Structures are given as structure tokens and as C-alpha cells.
Amino acid sequence: MIRRQVTPLRILDRYLAGAVLGGTALTLAVLLPLLAVFILADEIDKVGDDGYGFSDALLFVTLSLPRYLYQVFPIATLIGALAGLGQLAARSELVAMRAAGLSIGRIVRGAMLGGLVLAALAIATGELVAPVAEQRALAVRAMAETGEAMHISGQGLWARDGNAFINVRDFEPGAVLSDIHIFEIEDNRLRFATRADEARYRDGHWVLTGIERSRIGADRVTVERFERARWDSLLNPRLLEVIVVEPHALPVWGLYRYLRYMRQTEQDAGAHEVAFWGKLVQPLLILAMIFVSIPILLGSARTTGTGIKLFIGVAIGILFYLVSRTFTYLALLYGLSPALAAFAPLALFTLAAIVLLRRVG
């Protein structure tokens, strides 16, 4: 058996990556409870309305946290990198590494290894966990406020309306349900099975289009087809909030699908396009935040305390947020390219970090 030799440089890479991961984990452990308090404070105003209780609000907050976690991941990474690597600087370990001949490039590489792990976690959170959790959160609030039972599965949304069971398998932008299946029960038997292409809520009632209704008898099934029909369902239109979530809570594939639909129907897709490019740039942003932290640490490895460095990190995070929001508004209000709006702040901060890193080096 050939054993792979672990070189001192690889040990240092893992050590630096571990410092970044540990610092970020500690930062998130502080930020998430604070976020939960702020979200709960916002939800408290809804408690007591339409059967929405405090326990429902707590569950809503818990299920909403993955979305907020995804949003604050870059800033948490910046603060975490400063905290983790700052401890190494405070113990003069970074100075010792430089004195031993370790280049700045090697320090950046080791820190970036931790960044790659964090970027992968962010992608998994934003694409797999947050969208599902957000729908569950909206379902909890909708069920509490409307009193209607529902279930979300891989086959879409299931809800009960009297003696009918409704399955909405798909949706389109603009609060339009599609691929709807309605099963009506009478005397403990399935009597009617209806499928409709679309359902829209208009003037206080639902309107189905592309309808195929099967009447199930004792010895045969009769099929009727209608182009359009009114559907007097008690299904509350507020349940649409469970399916139609905000752009920033959708996965990349969901946003891409929205964009295709809106372009085909010549609708304004500005907000969804900005969110789409923002999702694509998020992993690069996490790596950039770690890159930004390196010149801050090396520029004052021994003379500046960790607290000052963390304050600088928070200030940079706030500045990045303001710059990013400015470009977003420019894209939404003045027609700036959404791709440019997403990549421009990243490029500006990365360029500034490169300039500072050269001065330090």
C-alpha cells in the first residue's frame, strides 16, 4: 500500500482553512439567534390574527432561518475569516509563517480552501434547504390564518375543500395555478375526478380553463370537457403565498424558469433577473470576502487588536451591502444590466483587496 505523504505545506493549508471555518461557525452561532429575534419581533404583530398563535410564529421563524442564513453567508464569512485568522495573527502565527518563507499566495490559498467548503455549504443551503423551508414556513402561516389544512410534497400542494381533495402540481408567475387535479368524494366513494390546465382567482372566485371532468359510476366512467368554468371553491387565495414565494427565496432553476416564462409573455422580469444573477455570484462572493480579509490581517498582524479588525470587517460588510443595493436599484429603476449589477460590487471589492495585498506584500 502506498501512503500519501502529508507535507508541512498541506498541514498549514488545513490549519488556515480550519481557522476560517471555525471563525465562520462561531460568527453564525452569534448571528442566527439575533436574526431569529428580529424575525420573531416582526411576526409578533401577526400573532392573534385569524388563529395565528405564538407557537406558529416560532415555527415560522425556525423555518425562515435557512433563507436568512443564505443571505448573510458572505458577511458572516468575512467576519469569520477575520475572527479565525485574527486569532492566528494575535498569537503571531501569521508573522511566523511569513518569517519561515510562506508566501502571501500560500496563505490566501489555505484560507480559500476553507472558503470553498463554505461556498459549497451556501449553495446547498440556497438551492436545497432554503426554498423548501420557506414554502413550509409560508404553509404554517397560511394554515394558521385560513384554518385550511394542506400538505406540500414532491407532487405539489395538497389541500382539502369540503368533500374535495385538491392537488396543485405546478404554478406560473402571476399567481396562476396549473396542472390542477380535483377529487370529489361522495358516500365514501370517488365520484368525480377533474383536471384543469389553469386556475386564476378573479372577482372573488376561481376560474378553471382546459377542463376534463370524469364522472365515475358503478359500471362506467363518463368524461366531459369544457374550455372554461367557474369553480366555487372555498380554497383561500392566500394559500398562493405558499407556492409563489419571493424571487430571492427561489432556487436558480426556479428563477430561470420564471425568466423564460416572463420573456415569452413579454412581462417585466427585472426583480427575478437580479435575483438570478445574485444567486450565481453568491459562491464567488464568499471567496471574495475571505480574500478581502487577508490584507486587513497582514497589514496590521501584530499592531491592531482583533476587536478593531472585526469592526473593520463589519464596516466593510455594511459598505458592501450599500454598494450592492445601489447597483440593484440601478438595475431595477434605470435598466442597468442585472449581470453587471451582480458582478460589479464583487469586482470592485476584489480589485481593492488586490491593491491592498500588493502594498502589504
Side-chain angles (χ1 to χ4, degrees):
M1 178 184 294
I2 299 177
R3 293 188 177 180
R4 191 173 181 180
Q5 186 177 6
V6 180
T7 65
L9 287 179
R10 285 180 181 167
I11 294 174
L12 285 175
D13 285 342
R14 294 177 183 176
Y15 189 59
L16 292 167
V20 171
L21 293 173
T24 304
L26 181 61
T27 302
L28 290 174
V30 174
L31 283 180
L32 285 181
L34 291 176
L35 284 173
V37 171
F38 291 138
I39 303 169
L40 182 60
D42 186 55
E43 286 297 303
I44 287 295
D45 294 336
K46 303 181 181 68
V47 172
D49 296 338
D50 302 321
Y52 188 59
F54 185 72
S55 60
D56 299 316
L58 285 177
L59 183 55
F60 177 86
V61 170
T62 302
L63 292 170
S64 298
L65 279 178
R67 174 165 68 91
Y68 289 95
L69 168 64
Y70 178 75
Q71 292 175 350
V72 303
F73 227 111
I75 306 303
T77 300
L78 172 61
I79 298 173
L82 288 172
L85 297 176
Q87 290 299 311
L88 303 186
R91 297 193 295 264
S92 299
E93 293 182 55
L94 289 182
V95 175
M97 292 178 190
R98 295 282 288 135
L102 193 68
S103 67
I104 292 179
R106 291 294 308 194
I107 294 176
V108 172
R109 171 181 164 175
M112 285 297 183
L113 289 177
L116 289 174
V117 175
L118 293 173
L121 289 174
I123 292 172
T125 301
E127 296 302 306
L128 301 176
V129 180
V132 176
E134 183 71 6
Q135 283 196 334
R136 301 284 182 185
L138 293 172
V140 166
R141 187 161 65 184
M143 284 189 289
E145 292 177 345
T146 64
E148 297 185 23
M150 71 181 71
H151 175 68
I152 298 176
S153 67
Q155 287 74 42
L157 179 143
W158 286 87
R160 183 171 182 175
D161 180 18
N163 292 327
F165 294 88
I166 304 163
N167 177 215
V168 180
R169 298 187 180 179
D170 209 348
F171 66 95
E172 299 293 348
V176 179
L177 307 183
S178 60
D179 196 6
I180 305 108
H181 297 258
I182 306 167
F183 305 96
E184 299 175 61
I185 308 295
E186 292 181 3
D187 299 326
N188 295 323
R189 287 185 57 189
L190 178 63
R191 294 295 186 182
F192 298 95
T194 304
R195 184 196 175 278
D197 292 334
E198 284 187 356
R200 297 171 183 262
Y201 196 77
R202 299 282 175 81
D203 301 324
H205 62 269
W206 293 95
V207 176
L208 299 177
T209 56
I211 307 161
E212 183 178 285
R213 191 176 194 226
S214 300
R215 183 191 299 267
I216 303 171
D219 54 356
R220 68 174 189 170
V221 176
T222 305
V223 179
E224 300 175 295
R225 291 179 176 83
F226 307 93
E227 182 179 345
R228 183 184 300 268
R230 173 170 171 163
W231 180 31
D232 292 318
S233 172
L234 298 176
L235 188 65
N236 196 310
R238 290 171 68 181
L239 298 181
L240 292 178
E241 296 177 358
V242 177
I243 304 176
V244 185
V245 296
E246 301 213 3
H248 55 261
L250 290 171
V252 168
W253 63 267
L255 287 167
Y256 179 72
R257 186 171 160 225
Y258 259 77
L259 291 175
R260 285 183 55 190
Y261 177 86
M262 289 187 167
R263 287 168 182 166
Q264 289 172 0
T265 56
E266 298 182 352
Q267 297 183 55
D268 180 20
H272 291 84
E273 198 163 359
V274 169
F276 174 76
W277 285 103
K279 285 269 189 177
L280 292 182
V281 82
Q282 184 85 336
L284 298 177
L285 188 55
I286 290 172
L287 296 175
M289 289 296 102
I290 295 177
F291 188 66
V292 167
S293 71
I294 302 298
I296 298 174
L297 291 165
L298 295 180
S300 54
R302 289 179 295 180
T303 58
T304 305
T306 303
I308 298 298
K309 293 170 186 173
L310 292 179
F311 175 79
I312 294 173
V314 172
I316 292 175
I318 295 173
L319 179 62
F320 178 84
Y321 175 80
L322 294 175
V323 172
S324 179
R325 295 304 297 173
T326 299
F327 275 94
T328 298
Y329 288 131
L330 289 175
L332 293 175
L333 299 178
Y334 299 104
L336 181 69
S337 167
L340 179 61
F343 281 95
L346 171 67
L348 288 174
F349 277 74
T350 303
L351 181 62
I354 291 174
V355 172
L356 291 175
L357 204 57
R358 285 185 173 178
R359 291 184 61 182
V360 172

